[in-house]
Amino acid sequence: MSPTGSSERGTRGLFGGLSGGPPWARGPGGGPGGGLPVRSSALVALLQLVGTAGEWRHQASGRVPLDAFGYLLLVAGPVLLVLRRRRPVAVVAGTAAVTLVYLAAGYPYGPVFASFVVAYCVAVWSGHRRAAVLSLLALYGGHLLLAFAVPHGWLRGAGAGGGGWPEFGLGLVALLLAAVAELLRIRHEQAAARHAARQAAARRRADEERLRMARELHDILAHSISLIHLQAGVALELIDDRPEQARAALVTIKAASKEALGEVRQVLGTLRGPGDAAPRRPAPGLDRLTELTEQAAHAGLTVTVRTVGGPRELPAGVGLAAFRVVQEALTNVIRHSAARRAEVLLDWSEPDALTVQVDDPGPAAAPEAGEPAGGGNGLAGMRERAAALGGTLTAGPREGGFRVRALLPTRGEGSVATSAREAR
């Protein structure tokens, strides 16, 4: 626990009950839950009444004893504090006026400034610094007039002043009050800025997690549904003339749909509680590349896998990204190319990177009726996966066909951090 955090909690504990905290911590209606701070205002009233009555016994006999009007003025300030969250400007001006009238009436000193101190802090925290400072200057200026400008014969008792040094001390107290209120305001603004930054970071993490899940679901469903769509068309064409081949297509559909359901459940499991979020099986990697080639073969696409260099163990996130790049590239060949073959290259020759390349010899197939024009999100998702690992992905036409090439770093902070996040 940091000293700064302890200091902030101490500040809230000391002033939160009196002032209701800064405006950004208040609920609808001006305070937490919209209530009025009656209890804390009553505590200020008790402080002023008991403290002033006790102090009067130790002051010079020239001060006027408390009477009904004096007690009324001591209570008036705390009564105004009940509205300090909703009307901070009116309350700070009102408490200054009540305090000045009390002093002008010659009543004994004591904690009579407590209600004004609270109102001043609330006004500063609420953003009404100008009104607060003007009220402070008016109260201190009025006290100076009572001490030096107004004839003592016009005042009750010994008047408001006690000489130059007491007034100088009171001025220092006023400056201290202004400095403390500004310090507390700055600390509250800093705490609010840190809170906003934490919320923004949490929203950013949530957005990244949603993007990751959307990317996973797209890659899973696009591949499986494309395969199912193709095999369903084959089954419809052959079901009357060659039922055995139609049966094989239906078996492929069943296997692809079962595989897709399992992966979708694994991705959606991250939305559950912490105890249920652990995946029941590891994230797919290049060890499942054979499954992709077999599924492509069922769809009529012959895939040749070529390896350069010696394979090595990959972080889970890098392996998943490589698997998804191959999966999405083969899906695009099945959906958008007239070619019945494709080549996958895994280049391990670089010590700190893996190059994944998928070549479609082409040519492009005519789009089916009803298929929307333009590309989907597959290439963008592959680029995002590579960028998240600190790598790159390029995709574009070549020699009548199409090539997808991804460079995925296998070491470094980017791949390690993303691997931990993707493997969850």
Side-chain angles (χ1 to χ4, degrees), residues 228-238 253:
I228 290 170
H229 173 73
L230 183 63
Q231 292 298 312
V234 172
L236 287 173
E237 290 183 4
L238 301 179
I253 290 174

Side-chain angles (χ1 to χ4, degrees), residues 17-87:
L18 300 178
S19 67
W24 50 85
R26 299 197 303 265
L36 295 175
V38 176
R39 183 181 302 175
S40 56
S41 300
L43 291 177
V44 176
L46 182 64
L47 172 65
Q48 293 193 167
L49 289 172
V50 176
T52 304
E55 286 292 326
W56 176 66
R57 299 185 180 91
H58 306 289
Q59 295 182 22
S61 58
R63 306 301 296 179
V64 177
L66 286 172
D67 53 18
F69 184 63
Y71 283 112
L72 179 63
L73 291 175
L74 288 176
V75 174
V79 170
L80 290 174
L81 288 181
V82 174
L83 299 175
R84 65 185 182 268
R85 295 171 179 167
R86 298 182 179 180
R87 298 289 185 270

